[in-house]
Amino acid sequence: MTVYLLTVAIYSAYLFLPGFCFLYLSKIRCDRFIFSYAISLSLLVIISYPYLLFGGSIANWLWSVHVGISVLIFVGFLVGNNRNDRSDNPNRRKTCISYIGLSSIFIVFSIYHVSVGPYTEIPSDIWKHIARVRMYLDNVSSGNLYIPDTIYILDFFPTDAVYFFHALVSKFVGVAPTTLIAPVTLVTTSIFLGTVYFFTQKLLQNF
């Protein structure tokens, strides 16, 4: 359970909080949920891409990520100071009701997920992803960051940064990548459900 909760905390922190802090400090309230995830994930991918492509140490990558997050938050603070506090301000009552609905969805889904387990779509897909994570896990164990020899350079994509992140978390908590399937899918599926929830809400707001 400790590994489960720690993994959920790490993924929530790096895949949501940096973008949320930026939007909160910059006083941008429109579509805050989905943009929090989009900004956070983009930051991880952008910083990881040159390290994966040209090589580097895990320590330098960690330093770069946290400097990037600090800069993002500082920029959000500067943007917020130059914005009118009234701008982009939604109805508070509707916002409160909206987040109560979102919280209800998260609670129900969390209970289901913990009780039943993760849904991994096509089994061959999940094992393909796990195999990719294991390739990066060998690099993480060596303390270096680069494209594994088993991945041809033409098969490398910026999204490989996600596989690297999975491998890094797996190494940090000290368990196999397969053990993290449940907590990771809890976070990512919750983000997906939240995105669908707010998209549907916005789609139907005029009805």
Side-chain angles (χ1 to χ4, degrees), residues 16-39 72-90 92 95 99 198 202:
F16 190 82
L17 282 183
F20 179 81
C21 290
F22 168 78
L23 294 172
Y24 179 81
L25 291 173
S26 59
K27 301 175 183 176
I28 298 174
R29 299 178 178 86
C30 182
D31 299 321
R32 183 177 283 178
F33 184 88
I34 187 170
F35 281 123
S36 295
Y37 170 66
I39 293 171
L72 182 69
I73 292 175
F74 180 68
V75 170
F77 176 76
L78 293 180
V79 172
N81 280 343
N82 294 320
R83 280 176 63 89
N84 187 334
D85 193 44
R86 295 181 181 178
S87 63
D88 205 21
N89 189 19
R92 291 185 180 276
T95 301
Y99 278 101
F198 282 113
K202 193 162 188 175

Side-chain angles (χ1 to χ4, degrees), residues 114 121 134 157 166 206:
V114 172
E121 300 181 11
R134 287 187 180 276
F157 296 98
H166 290 323
N206 294 324

Side-chain angles (χ1 to χ4, degrees), residues 86-194:
R86 295 181 181 178
S87 63
D88 205 21
N89 189 19
N91 183 286
R92 291 185 180 276
R93 182 173 178 274
K94 287 184 178 179
T95 301
C96 182
I97 294 174
S98 177
Y99 278 101
I100 290 174
L102 180 66
S103 299
S104 301
I105 291 175
F106 282 168
I107 291 171
V108 171
F109 173 71
S110 297
I111 294 173
Y112 163 81
H113 191 277
V114 172
S115 303
V116 179
Y119 173 66
T120 55
E121 300 181 11
I122 303 172
S124 59
D125 262 8
I126 186 66
W127 293 114
K128 176 183 175 183
H129 295 316
I130 291 297
R132 197 99 169 183
V133 172
R134 287 187 180 276
M135 295 176 187
Y136 280 101
L137 187 57
D138 293 336
N139 292 352
V140 170
S141 300
S142 69
N144 295 315
L145 181 54
Y146 53 88
I147 303 173
D149 296 335
T150 46
I151 299 179
Y152 187 55
I153 186 67
L154 295 179
D155 293 329
F156 172 76
F157 296 98
T159 49
D160 270 41
V162 177
Y163 296 121
F164 160 71
F165 186 70
H166 290 323
L168 187 64
V169 175
S170 176
K171 177 66 176 177
F172 176 74
V173 299
V175 298
T178 50
T179 307
L180 300 183
I181 291 176
V184 170
T185 52
L186 173 63
V187 175
T188 54
T189 307
S190 295
I191 292 174
F192 172 75
L193 289 175

Side-chain angles (χ1 to χ4, degrees), residues 41-85:
L41 181 61
S42 297
L43 182 68
L44 272 181
V45 171
I46 291 171
I47 292 176
S48 300
Y49 188 71
Y51 278 95
L52 290 170
L53 200 57
F54 302 110
S57 69
I58 302 297
N60 286 340
W61 177 85
L62 286 170
W63 182 85
S64 298
V65 167
H66 290 97
V67 167
I69 292 174
S70 300
V71 170
L72 182 69
I73 292 175
F74 180 68
V75 170
F77 176 76
L78 293 180
V79 172
N81 280 343
N82 294 320
R83 280 176 63 89
N84 187 334
D85 193 44

Side-chain angles (χ1 to χ4, degrees), residues 1-8 173 175 179-180 183:
M1 182 58 71
T2 302
V3 170
Y4 193 103
L5 294 176
L6 180 59
T7 303
V8 169
V173 299
V175 298
T179 307
L180 300 183

